[in-house]
Amino acid sequence: MSLTVSVRIEYVNAKKFDFQMRQDRRERKTLPKYINRELSRENEAVLDKKLTGKELLQTARELREKTPGKRCRVKDDAAVAYHGVVTWGTEALRGS
């Protein structure tokens, strides 16, 4: 039994964002053998606006243009989103 809570967050660029979203939504032609399709229905997405990495990159560029002062170009491999995973032990789940 554990009260452990683990949070892992990282910046991702447009390409990695698109890959991860396809992975999370199970939008692959063939799924790995270790994935149980029955249990995949129980997965939850806290926030999924159905945006692509390209759309996020374009938004970042548009916002940069509106920013006063020195303007730096937003590179193609710039971080455009956060990706994260939260896990917890059984005791933390119950709130004990």
Side-chain angles (χ1 to χ4, degrees), residues 59-74:
T59 300
R61 287 182 171 144
E62 290 169 4
L63 290 172
R64 181 63 59 92
E65 285 298 317
K66 292 178 184 178
T67 304
K70 184 179 177 183
R71 291 193 185 109
C72 299
R73 181 178 163 284
V74 176

Side-chain angles (χ1 to χ4, degrees), residues 12-62:
V12 292
N13 63 23
K15 185 176 179 179
K16 188 169 183 180
F17 176 82
D18 284 340
F19 172 82
Q20 190 62 52
M21 293 311 291
R22 282 191 307 275
Q23 171 77 10
D24 293 348
R25 295 175 187 146
R26 304 291 192 239
E27 297 174 344
R28 297 171 59 175
K29 290 181 182 178
T30 58
L31 293 177
K33 292 180 183 179
Y34 63 85
I35 292 178
N36 182 337
R37 289 179 189 264
E38 294 299 316
L39 294 177
S40 289
R41 291 189 200 129
E42 296 178 18
N43 292 348
E44 292 184 34
V46 176
L47 177 64
D48 188 354
K49 300 269 188 183
K50 306 291 185 193
L51 294 171
T52 66
K54 190 174 184 178
E55 291 170 328
L56 290 173
L57 186 59
Q58 184 59 35
T59 300
R61 287 182 171 144
E62 290 169 4

Side-chain angles (χ1 to χ4, degrees), residues 1 3 5 10-12 24 31-32 37 45 58 68 76-77 79 82 86 88-90 92 96:
M1 293 188 240
L3 288 171
V5 176
E10 67 177 341
Y11 286 122
V12 292
D24 293 348
L31 293 177
R37 289 179 189 264
Q58 184 59 35
D76 290 341
D77 64 345
Y82 286 101
V86 178
W88 50 85
T90 54
S96 298

